[in-house]
Amino acid sequence: MAHDTFSRFIGGSPGQVILRLIFLSFVVGIILSALNLDPMSLVDMVIRFFNRLWNMGFDAILSLGRYFLLGAVIVIPLWLIGRVLSLGKR
């Protein structure tokens, strides 16, 4: 029972999940390489983002709201489509 719950939580058997994550890591790595991004530049971008937020003060709250809405325009419809499609599989 516990193994079934764990497998359901991670999205399949541990072996399959590890293989899927390895494959996706290679695909994302290729895409990031094509965009001339490396891990340290991504970390730098995140650090600069939070430094800008800190320096902006209360304007940061408005920027966070804007970033949230910008992301939600993409994420919410994709999530909704995924849920609707998963209903058809049941």
Side-chain angles (χ1 to χ4, degrees):
M1 183 71 175
H3 186 272
D4 183 44
T5 303
F6 178 71
S7 292
R8 200 169 354 141
F9 173 72
I10 63 171
S13 72
Q16 288 176 334
V17 172
I18 289 171
L19 287 175
R20 193 176 321 135
L21 289 174
I22 288 171
F23 174 74
L24 287 174
S25 294
F26 277 117
V27 171
V28 170
I30 290 169
I31 292 169
L32 291 176
S33 177
L35 297 172
N36 284 332
L37 293 174
D38 61 77
M40 288 312 295
S41 69
L42 291 174
V43 170
D44 268 351
M45 286 172 30
V46 169
I47 290 171
R48 280 187 277 131
F49 170 75
F50 283 109
N51 278 336
R52 280 196 319 247
L53 287 180
W54 181 262
N55 292 333
M56 287 174 24
F58 287 107
D59 287 337
I61 295 171
L62 296 175
S63 292
L64 283 176
R66 182 172 177 254
Y67 290 140
F68 169 75
L69 290 175
L70 193 61
V73 166
I74 302 297
V75 171
I76 301 298
L78 288 176
W79 173 79
L80 187 59
I81 290 168
R83 297 309 301 166
V84 168
L85 292 177
S86 71
L87 286 177
K89 293 180 183 178
R90 290 184 184 180

